[in-house]
Amino acid sequence: MAFIKINRQNFFHNLNQFALKCGSKDKLAIVLKDNAYGHGLELIAQLSAEFGLTQAVVRHYKEALQIKPYFKGILILGDRACVDTHCSFALNSLDDILKAQKGSNVELKVDTGMHRNGIAINELEHALEQIEAKGLKLKGVLTHNRSADELSSELFWQNKQFEEVKRRVQAYGYTDIRFHSFNSASALRLPCEQEDLIRLGIGAYGYNELPKIYNHIELKPVLSLWAKRVAKRQLKKGERVGYGGQFIAPNEMTVSTYDLGYGDGWMRSNSMNPFMTAEGLPMLGRVSMDYIVLESEKEEVCIVNNALEAGKQVKTISYEIVTLLNPHIEKVID
Ligand SMILES: *Cc1c(COP(=O)(O)O)cnc(C)c1O
């Protein structure tokens, strides 16, 4: 089976960079949705706790239950709010308020421009009334930035909107709740000492998707993807490899089959423009469900050690490369 190495030192390095920039570990909430971006939910929860983080963010309540022992507080982004003193639930719409269980801890998500979810700003006071009427405990107000990683003034405009939201929520009477809008890109780009909470995802895993001028914080990839050899053979000139025989040996060569395929979440992509592994080996022919073929005799090969670079090859972002990886792939801490 292919396997993933998780580099503890690099993970701690990244967390430390953000803790230094934001002035405290306590402000960092590690985002663990989608199997901790493919890195392993429990494993990353455990390492985060070991580092000293106390807050986490997931998508579903089920994930929160798995990692509860590691954190003081868990924010759930997309599930029905229920009573659990350990957790708070993002309310993404007025409908979510109606569905929430009485007595739950909630955080109201406000749409400040992304137009994906969250209540509209002109529904703010109405939403706060509903939250009270329903007997929910408001613990925070949040928003999500749509262009934190793009060079434009949009981030500043959205922050201004959020300032307005904050002012109105405080004027309504909620003065001791937390307000948060920062993801990794916002934290890399702007001062963050004043923030109540940073929802730290991709940056913790070692990627900075911002334009080069925001590269002043060095991040190190946490994950590397490896495959093991399952067979080795000699090809004669002209012999073909894999489905459709797409790869034709240009000369006599030694190739091996490795146990990674699209069943493991590795993209089948385009065999006419083959993916180059971290060691510079092109994938020969089509990617199968469980196998790839490389010109190598090594027992183990490193396929990816930097998802940002890997993503560039197939015109996607680091997020997608790592998140697609099948949760069943074995993980080892390095
Ligand atoms: C995924 C997510 C984040 C983390 O974003 P990164 O870009 O990975 O840091 C923060 N907030 C919300 C609401 C999210 O859904």
Side-chain angles (χ1 to χ4, degrees):
M1 183 67 158
F3 65 101
I4 286 171
K5 286 188 191 171
I6 295 293
N7 188 316
R8 172 204 253 112
Q9 215 177 344
N10 286 2
F11 185 55
F12 286 4
H13 164 87
N14 300 333
L15 294 180
N16 206 30
Q17 294 298 307
F18 283 97
L20 284 172
K21 170 128 198 242
C22 301
S24 145
K25 285 180 187 178
D26 298 333
K27 285 187 182 175
L28 303 180
I30 180 79
V31 181
L32 298 173
K33 65 191 181 191
D34 295 283
N35 196 33
Y37 292 43
H39 290 62
L41 174 63
E42 279 206 60
L43 181 62
I44 297 296
Q46 189 191 324
L47 290 178
S48 303
E50 196 183 310
F51 179 81
L53 299 190
T54 57
Q55 305 282 334
V57 181
V58 293
R59 184 138 55 134
H60 301 295
Y61 186 46
K62 215 172 114 189
E63 299 166 273
L65 292 176
Q66 271 175 274
I67 57 164
K68 230 170 165 174
Y70 301 109
F71 298 100
K72 280 200 198 127
I74 303 174
L75 167 64
I76 293 129
L77 293 170
D79 223 334
R80 180 176 171 267
C82 62
V83 177
D84 185 324
T85 51
H86 235 85
C87 299
S88 65
F89 294 79
L91 299 169
N92 292 301
S93 62
L94 291 173
D95 211 36
D96 277 0
I97 301 177
L98 298 177
K99 287 191 205 140
Q101 189 187 3
K102 186 175 177 203
S104 334
N105 294 330
V106 295
E107 304 199 36
L108 182 63
K109 189 157 184 189
V110 182
D111 178 9
T112 54
M114 188 162 178
H115 304 323
R116 185 178 63 173
N117 46 33
I119 60 133
I121 292 184
N122 62 16
E123 295 170 334
L124 192 55
E125 282 77 11
H126 175 63
L128 294 172
E129 277 165 26
Q130 295 280 306
I131 286 169
E132 263 183 338
K134 191 78 211 239
L136 307 177
K137 297 179 187 151
L138 188 70
K139 299 289 181 187
V141 172
L142 68 148
T143 193
H144 196 48
N145 291 321
R146 75 174 180 199
S147 315
D149 56 359
E150 283 164 29
L151 266 190
S152 71
S153 60
E154 290 214 11
L155 177 60
F156 302 95
W157 165 78
Q158 251 192 299
N159 280 343
K160 250 199 146 59
Q161 299 272 308
F162 195 52
E163 280 304 313
E164 165 73 8
V165 168
K166 199 165 164 176
R167 202 187 49 73
R168 276 164 59 178
V169 173
Q170 284 169 339
Y172 190 92
Y174 288 107
T175 46
D176 61 349
I177 62 170
R178 65 186 187 184
F179 293 87
H180 48 108
S181 65
F182 273 37
N183 59 1
S184 304
S186 322
L188 286 168
R189 206 172 148 179
L190 300 174
C192 48
E193 301 92 335
Q194 300 304 318
E195 294 302 305
D196 293 341
L197 192 79
I198 318 292
R199 302 186 307 262
L200 182 62
I202 201 74
Y205 304 107
Y207 305 109
N208 177 351
E209 291 273 358
L210 287 162
K212 281 265 179 293
I213 62 159
Y214 294 109
N215 268 352
H216 41 266
I217 288 187
E218 190 201 11
L219 299 177
K220 299 179 180 176
V222 171
L223 170 152
S224 56
L225 175 65
W226 297 73
K228 287 185 189 154
R229 193 180 74 193
V230 290
K232 182 175 97 168
R233 74 199 67 246
Q234 231 21 68
L235 291 181
K236 296 198 193 81
K237 180 175 178 185
E239 282 187 319
R240 295 165 163 235
V241 171
Y243 284 113
Q246 202 111 54
F247 176 76
I248 305 169
N251 43 259
E252 196 168 300
M253 61 199 286
T254 307
V255 299
S256 299
T257 304
Y258 292 92
D259 60 353
L260 175 78
Y262 59 80
D264 301 302
W266 183 256
M267 311 132 301
R268 186 165 171 275
S269 64
N270 178 4
S271 56
M272 304 311 272
N273 184 14
F275 182 86
M276 291 281 183
T277 69
E279 294 161 352
L281 300 170
M283 290 186 177
L284 306 179
R286 289 186 197 155
V287 171
S288 306
M289 190 181 291
D290 300 309
Y291 301 112
I292 51 169
V293 176
L294 302 171
E295 184 177 11
S296 173
E297 295 183 51
K298 286 169 105 175
E299 288 279 342
E300 291 179 358
V301 285
C302 180
I303 306 299
V304 171
N305 59 11
N306 182 334
L308 193 78
E309 294 306 321
K312 281 183 191 153
Q313 284 197 52
V314 290
K315 300 194 167 50
T316 187
I317 51 177
S318 54
Y319 295 77
E320 191 178 10
I321 298 281
V322 289
T323 305
L324 280 177
L325 296 172
N326 191 319
H328 301 306
I329 301 178
E330 184 199 340
K331 318 261 181 327
V332 292
I333 298 182
D334 199 10

